[in-house]
Amino acid sequence: MAKINNLKGGFKIVKVEGPVIFAVSDSIGETAELVAKAATVQFNSGHVEIRRYPYVTEEEDVVEVVEEAKKYKNSAIVCTMVLPEIRKKLLELAEANNIPILDIMGPMMDIVSRITNIKPKLEPGLVRRVDEDYFEKIEAIEFAVKYDDGKDPRGLAKADVVLIGVSRTSKTPLSMYLAHKRLKVANLPLVPEVSPPEELFQLDPKNVVGLTIQPEILYKIRQERLKALGLSSDATYASMERILKELEYADEIMKKIGCHRIDVSNKAVEEVAARILEIIRRGEDR
């Protein structure tokens, strides 16, 4: 609190002792605050208060910060301003009022610009957006693992897209690839002996993609899979009769749902994923 002295019948506000550091930014101000905290913990000279002032994007915001800092006898400003005009105004006002100020972002951007020969974007909040993208990607990957291969039908309603198809139609690789695009993907194998969960038929068909494949190609893939596992190629799993039965069953389920279909025969994961993304975008534009 400010000290108030009686002066000839009136009152005069005396500067507060402080010390206070104002962490100022045209974004959320987290970096400025962390730098201030990292510095102050190195001193045992008493408590230093740190106040964060985020989203300072207008000149009147700058004036407000400086006016607040002027109330304190011992105050300083540390800033991470991206917007050059606002940063310049803050520096000028702080210096004009003898308030110590540390500009973190300006000199750092100058150095990066010099060594890369690239001009900065000058967009506040880009670090936060990058962080948000990263955590969305991790969340999507964890989702794909949790709801892979029909492990939990409750995930179908939570997914951005659901992939269905017989075994060896690249459902899992596609789920992981799309997760890196920040899409939550659940996948479900279609097997004649196992009825699909009711949750599948309650989904909006535009959010379901059926993966189909040519029988001859699936036959070769399954034969190779058995060899890799050290199993006999005579197993029912890789017989043409079994494959045709599974594909016919999958076709019936896809028709019942009325979902999109993609033939994955001889197609790379990236190619199929691009088609799925296109289907999703079309659905969102409706």
Side-chain angles (χ1 to χ4, degrees), residues 58-282:
E58 305 290 340
E59 288 197 2
E60 50 263 39
D61 299 331
V62 171
V63 173
E64 182 183 334
V65 171
V66 174
E67 286 299 316
E68 187 65 24
K70 284 166 61 178
K71 296 177 183 178
Y72 295 82
K73 183 178 180 181
N74 299 304
S75 67
I77 297 172
V78 56
C79 69
T80 51
M81 310 291 289
V82 171
L83 301 171
E85 292 303 317
I86 304 302
R87 181 172 70 246
K88 180 182 177 183
K89 182 69 174 180
L90 180 60
L91 290 168
E92 288 176 351
L93 279 180
E95 291 168 5
N97 288 278
N98 296 314
I99 300 171
I101 183 167
L102 173 64
D103 173 20
I104 298 173
M105 192 64 71
M108 191 68 240
M109 286 196 302
D110 289 342
I111 289 173
V112 175
S113 182
R114 196 181 310 152
I115 64 175
T116 62
N117 200 29
I118 299 173
K119 291 183 178 180
K121 295 179 179 179
L122 302 178
E123 296 178 31
L126 284 181
V127 169
R128 188 176 74 259
R129 271 177 261 168
V130 169
D131 287 344
E132 286 173 355
D133 285 347
Y134 172 77
F135 287 114
E136 284 179 9
K137 185 185 295 185
I138 295 301
E139 185 180 1
I141 292 171
E142 291 176 345
F143 186 94
V145 171
K146 184 175 182 179
Y147 298 111
D148 180 48
D149 211 27
K151 290 175 184 174
D152 186 348
R154 291 175 299 179
L156 300 179
K158 302 175 185 177
D160 296 317
V161 60
V162 174
L163 306 179
I164 60 174
V166 302
S167 174
R168 313 315 295 175
T169 49
S170 301
K171 295 184 299 297
T172 296
L174 279 166
S175 296
M176 296 307 298
Y177 185 92
L178 292 168
H180 280 81
K181 301 293 183 182
R182 302 186 302 282
L183 282 177
K184 292 180 179 178
V185 184
N187 73 75
L188 184 71
L190 298 178
V191 184
E193 292 78 17
V194 181
S195 298
E198 282 303 313
E199 289 89 342
L200 178 63
F201 302 101
Q202 295 168 4
L203 299 175
D204 188 330
K206 74 174 188 293
N207 296 331
V208 182
V209 176
L211 305 177
T212 65
I213 190 169
Q214 297 301 311
E216 298 79 9
I217 294 174
L218 183 57
Y219 175 80
K220 291 178 182 178
I221 291 173
R222 289 191 175 182
Q223 287 286 327
E224 290 300 319
R225 177 61 174 166
L226 289 175
K227 288 180 184 177
L229 294 173
L231 300 175
S232 170
S233 59
D234 296 329
T236 304
Y237 171 76
S239 70
M240 183 57 76
E241 182 182 356
R242 173 66 186 183
I243 287 171
L244 291 172
K245 181 180 179 181
E246 287 188 26
L247 291 175
E248 182 181 358
Y249 174 74
D251 182 65
E252 291 174 0
I253 297 296
M254 293 174 194
K255 283 181 179 177
K256 184 177 180 180
I257 295 170
C259 63
H260 301 281
R261 300 190 198 195
I262 300 176
D263 187 342
V264 302
S265 304
N266 296 321
K267 289 186 176 69
V269 168
E270 294 84 356
E271 185 179 355
V272 178
R275 179 77 181 106
I276 293 171
L277 290 169
E278 182 185 343
I279 289 171
I280 294 170
R281 278 195 293 268
R282 276 211 318 267

